Amino acid sequence: MRGKLITVCSFFLLILSSVFAGDRADFINLGFIGQNEAFLYGQYGIDEEGTYFYADVVYHDLQTGETPAESIQSKRYPLIELDGGSTLPAMLQSVQEYLTVNPVPVDFTRTGVMLYSRLPGTGAAARISFKDYTQNKDYSLSLNLRPKVRNPGSNTAIALTLYQYDQEGNLEQRYDAGSLVSPLEGVYDVRIAKVFSDPERNYLVMVFQTSEFDDETKSVDVRYLVKSIALN
């Protein structure tokens, strides 16, 4: 009986190790900068081998709707430096370092309003609905992925369309956010994770969870990217 139990436990551990191979980042909303100049966010976690913490601070420009590569700060911290354990201290330390080098007017109370927080099922197309109760606005966000069939190692192009409805369900406005300039290399799955609005309701910030195939480790890393739409 004991031998069978060990065999069963080993089997389930093998399944878990294959399902959760790679590392999964956590997302943190750091707030809207200035008069909606930008949206600042972070993603952080522990690498697959468990040797270091990583913490990225990302500046998303709301005026252009772009995330310049030079605006991303990526830091790595050996576990021994932060005494192991929680990854959050690494994120907070990285934010402090970022603000020292880039003195942007961050107000951590301006994290905006979360209008959606859930991961829909995977597939070539996804559509979610959410409501802004303060403004009595209903929204529907459509996400289309190309190609339809994607395997680990594939590149994915995404297109976004946002629909805004009045209280009677009539279409008020359609926002075509278009596609990202180029396909996301190595990203084979994209899901809508969260939607935020700034306090003044001038922008919608959409957070996407991506699954990226890591050629070196032959595993999947979960990361985040942001896209925004100006509502006015």
Side-chain angles (χ1 to χ4, degrees):
M1 181 67 181
R2 181 181 175 85
K4 289 183 179 180
L5 181 60
I6 292 174
T7 302
V8 171
C9 290
S10 300
F11 175 71
F12 278 108
L13 285 173
L14 179 61
I15 292 176
L16 288 173
S17 65
S18 63
V19 171
F20 294 103
D23 67 81
R24 302 176 64 87
D26 286 314
F27 174 88
I28 184 169
N29 173 0
L30 297 174
F32 290 85
I33 296 176
Q35 297 302 309
N36 296 330
E37 167 194 336
F39 178 74
L40 198 68
Y41 69 96
Q43 54 184 351
Y44 61 99
I46 302 177
D47 74 306
E48 184 181 3
E49 287 78 21
T51 57
Y52 62 80
F53 294 119
Y54 61 84
D56 299 341
V57 181
V58 186
Y59 178 102
H60 175 79
D61 192 323
L62 292 172
Q63 308 304 311
T64 64
E66 303 294 334
T67 304
E70 62 271 16
S71 71
I72 302 174
Q73 172 190 277
S74 296
K75 292 287 186 177
R76 300 293 181 267
Y77 306 95
L79 263 66
I80 193 172
E81 286 187 7
L82 296 175
D83 299 323
S86 173
T87 55
L88 187 56
M91 183 73 253
L92 299 178
Q93 181 172 323
S94 191
V95 171
Q96 185 177 13
E97 293 176 6
Y98 179 89
L99 295 179
T100 299
V101 178
N102 306 279
V104 293
V106 177
D107 180 353
F108 292 110
T109 65
R110 281 182 56 82
T111 53
V113 180
M114 183 181 290
L115 301 178
Y116 178 86
S117 179
R118 188 165 59 86
L119 283 173
T122 184
R127 189 159 182 152
I128 64 167
S129 297
F130 53 92
K131 185 179 184 69
D132 184 341
Y133 289 95
T134 303
Q135 302 293 318
N136 286 319
K137 300 286 185 182
D138 289 289
Y139 294 95
S140 177
L141 179 62
S142 174
L143 169 66
N144 287 294
L145 309 180
R146 294 292 182 272
K148 288 186 177 181
V149 179
R150 301 168 311 284
N151 298 310
S154 300
N155 299 333
T156 302
I158 71 174
L160 295 170
T161 308
L162 179 72
Y163 304 89
Q164 178 180 301
Y165 301 90
D166 61 18
Q167 292 180 329
E168 285 72 39
N170 300 311
L171 180 64
E172 277 191 341
Q173 190 134 4
R174 178 180 184 272
Y175 303 89
D176 188 357
S179 303
L180 292 180
V181 176
S182 58
L184 302 169
E185 294 187 11
V187 172
Y188 71 94
D189 189 33
V190 180
R191 302 188 185 193
I192 304 167
K194 303 176 189 296
V195 179
F196 297 96
S197 176
D198 63 283
E200 295 76 29
R201 304 304 201 275
N202 291 321
Y203 292 90
L204 283 187
V205 170
M206 294 148 290
V207 181
F208 299 93
Q209 186 188 79
T210 66
S211 296
E212 179 177 355
F213 185 71
D214 190 321
D215 287 323
E216 292 185 4
T217 63
K218 304 302 180 185
S219 60
V220 176
D221 295 336
V222 173
R223 296 291 185 270
Y224 293 91
L225 65 86
V226 159
K227 187 78 174 173
S228 61
I229 295 177
L231 298 179
N232 298 313

